[in-house]
């Protein structure tokens, strides 16, 4: 079976709707056909300062949310990045293969660093894409399900795999991005021209928030002054975003929704989409609470996952270190 790898940050205690429609939905689907490695990337999370207690809680929260969404730890290897030291060990080698200019061109770094003053922008935020490449390349990954915002980082992972292979001999599989066609980029409900993101919390649907609040956020989503419900991202970004979300959550096509809502107002669309999200989030949150109720069991799942991950990662690292010319340790 081909191998799939992906990771998600344990940020702020809750996934958001963009994470789900852009990536996590595919994580779940790909378990059926692929040998899956899924990772809570806590090392990436500290590129921006985090409180230790919150980080610990949020890492468990993230794992519980993944299980509640349907990641099956029997079939898939679910683990925490910092439990597998090989990620940072290979990360260093890949940092040394990454050009300073190449890393400077990463748009996510430019965006995130622009929001803080220079003294607060960590070197880790800058080198993060090399660590991400390490995450992926350690597992001989064929496909990486991610949202559109990760395309450039994925491209760098491919470049680094090819560069290493041509300099030191064939070692890494060159991974392909698996980006959904329809829901690759979900936009903020209050500002439908920017990406929905937890870093700019205005119109973000958080999976752990009170579903009533979600319905309210959808009701007050920014639309436009017209009346017709039509997919036109250029001129009607707000309504188009709602249609894409609705379609992603229900499997009904955007065209089908346009027909169904012909003659209806924005209020009807928003009310119905709010109800769809409430019906999804209510049982989801109940399942998350059950997993969090038993942290010992949760930790056991993650420990087992880390053992399985380490078995694969350590072989790849040994091979890569040998090719680079490091002496074997013993
Ligand atoms: N708005 C989005 N639309 C589609 N996909 C998205 N992803 C994130 N936002 C959107 C995808 O979710 C996966 C996990 O992303 P991450 O670990 O980078 O999550 P994050 O960074 O903690 O979440 P945010 O809210 O996106 O924060 P910012 O913007 O601060 O980084 C990835 O596959 C990503 O593509």
């Amino acid at each position: 079976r081909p191998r799939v790898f992906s990771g998600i940050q344990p940020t702020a205690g809750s996934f958001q709707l963009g994470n789900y429609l852009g990536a996590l939905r595919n994580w779940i689907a790909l378990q059926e056909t692929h040998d899956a490695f899924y990772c809570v990337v806590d090392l990436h999370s500290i590129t921006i300062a985090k409180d230790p207690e919150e980080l610990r809680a949020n890492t468990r929260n993230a794992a519980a949310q993944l299980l509640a969404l349907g990641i099956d730890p029997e079939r898939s290897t679910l683990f925490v990045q910092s439990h597998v030291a090989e990620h940072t060990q290979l990360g260093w080698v890949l940092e040394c293969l990454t050009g300073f200019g190449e890393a400077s061109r990463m748009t996510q770094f430019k965006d995130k660093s622009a929001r803080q003053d220079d003294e607060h922008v960590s070197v880790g935020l800058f080198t993060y894409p090399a660590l991400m490449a390490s995450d992926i390349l350690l597992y001989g990954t064929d496909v990486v399900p991610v949202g559109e915002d990760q395309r450039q980082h994925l491209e760098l992972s491919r470049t680094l795999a090819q560069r290493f292979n041509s300099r030191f001999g064939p070692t890494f599989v060159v991974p392909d991005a698996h980006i959904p066609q329809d829901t690759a980029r979900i936009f903020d409900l209050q500002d439908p021209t920017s990406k929905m993101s937890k870093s700019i919390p205005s119109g973000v649907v958080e999976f752990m928030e009170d579903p009533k609040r979600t319905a309210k956020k959808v009701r007050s989503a920014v639309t436009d002054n017209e009346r017709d419900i039509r997919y036109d991202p250029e001129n009607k970004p707000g309504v188009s975003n709602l249609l894409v979300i609705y379609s992603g959550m229900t499997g009904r096509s955007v065209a089908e929704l346009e027909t169904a809502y012909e003659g209806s107002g924005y209020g009807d669309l928003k009310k119905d989409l709010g109800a769809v999200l409430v019906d999804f989030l209510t049982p989801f949150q109940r399942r998350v609470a059950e997993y969090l109720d038993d942290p010992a069991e949760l930790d056991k799942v993650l420990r087992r996952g880390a053992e399985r991950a380490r078995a694969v990662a350590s072989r790849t690292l040994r091979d890569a270190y040998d090719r680079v010319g490091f002496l074997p340790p013993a």
Side-chain angles (χ1 to χ4, degrees):
R1 274 149 80 96
R3 173 113 356 125
V4 58
F5 174 93
S6 199
I8 184 154
Q9 298 198 37
T11 324
S14 175
F15 297 158
Q16 45 98 350
L17 187 59
N19 299 143
Y20 178 67
L21 291 176
L24 299 176
R25 215 163 43 125
N26 281 333
W27 291 25
I28 296 150
L30 287 164
Q31 295 183 111
E32 307 296 329
T33 47
H34 287 63
D35 180 21
F37 283 73
Y38 295 133
C39 186
V40 179
V41 288
D42 54 348
L43 297 172
H44 289 295
S45 173
I46 65 160
T47 51
I48 292 175
K50 294 279 150 24
D51 172 77
E53 274 316 312
E54 270 177 38
L55 177 59
R56 246 185 295 278
N58 288 341
T59 302
R60 286 206 184 92
N61 280 339
Q65 288 174 82
L66 289 173
L67 293 167
L69 284 173
I71 299 298
D72 172 1
E74 296 304 321
R75 273 192 298 173
S76 301
T77 300
L78 175 66
F79 68 106
V80 174
Q81 187 187 25
S82 66
H83 291 176
V84 182
E86 284 80 356
H87 288 244
T88 41
Q89 292 175 298
L90 180 63
W92 174 253
V93 174
L94 297 178
E95 277 179 38
C96 295
L97 284 185
T98 308
F100 187 84
E102 201 169 32
S104 309
R105 284 192 291 277
M106 295 295 124
T107 56
Q108 198 177 83
F109 174 74
K110 288 197 253 183
D111 290 349
K112 288 194 176 180
S113 58
R115 286 186 224 136
Q116 303 172 68
D117 65 75
D118 275 358
E119 286 311 309
H120 287 96
V121 177
S122 73
V123 173
L125 187 67
F126 184 65
T127 59
Y128 151 112
L131 181 58
M132 174 170 159
S134 165
D135 302 338
I136 295 165
L137 301 185
L138 277 174
Y139 297 96
T141 303
D142 299 291
V143 283
V144 188
V146 283
E148 177 62 40
D149 59 331
Q150 289 294 338
R151 187 187 289 279
Q152 193 187 27
H153 290 162
L154 231 297
E155 207 39 61
L156 180 70
S157 297
R158 290 170 55 83
T159 304
L160 291 175
Q162 284 156 344
R163 190 172 294 158
F164 188 102
N165 289 349
S166 68
R167 195 167 300 174
F168 301 111
T171 309
F172 297 124
V173 175
V174 180
D176 284 318
H178 183 87
I179 297 175
Q181 288 207 319
D182 41 355
T183 55
R185 186 178 283 268
I186 300 300
F187 294 94
D188 189 280
L189 297 181
Q190 282 302 311
D191 174 9
T193 56
S194 24
K195 182 188 95 155
M196 185 178 282
S197 152
K198 275 169 302 189
S199 334
I200 314 163
S202 52
V204 184
V205 172
E206 298 211 23
F207 269 21
M208 294 308 290
E209 71 192 4
D210 182 348
K212 281 198 219 84
R213 201 172 138 82
T214 305
K216 203 166 150 215
K217 281 183 186 171
V218 174
R219 270 201 309 277
S220 56
V222 166
T223 43
D224 53 56
N225 297 326
E226 298 176 7
R227 292 187 51 86
D228 50 330
I229 295 173
R230 167 166 62 80
Y231 181 74
D232 177 356
E234 193 80 358
N235 300 305
K236 299 168 75 70
V239 173
S240 303
N241 191 36
L242 294 178
L243 285 169
V244 167
I245 294 171
Y246 201 147
S247 167
M249 296 305 295
T250 57
R252 296 170 73 184
S253 71
V254 167
E256 188 186 330
L257 291 170
E258 282 176 331
T259 311
Y261 282 92
E262 221 175 287
S264 309
Y266 293 164
D268 300 313
L269 176 73
K270 289 174 169 177
K271 188 162 73 51
D272 293 352
L273 175 57
V276 164
L277 288 168
V278 169
D279 286 350
F280 178 85
L281 291 179
T282 308
F284 162 78
Q285 291 180 0
R286 207 176 308 126
R287 288 193 299 274
V288 173
E290 284 166 15
Y291 284 114
L292 288 175
D293 242 7
D294 192 351
E297 178 58 29
L298 196 59
D299 289 353
K300 206 160 88 192
V301 166
L302 295 174
R303 231 183 358 256
R304 239 187 3 242
E307 274 164 29
R308 273 167 26 197
R310 221 176 286 125
V312 178
S314 61
R315 261 189 316 227
T316 314
L317 182 77
R318 217 177 308 132
D319 192 19
Y321 267 26
D322 181 53
R323 296 231 184 230
V324 167
F326 295 148
L327 281 179

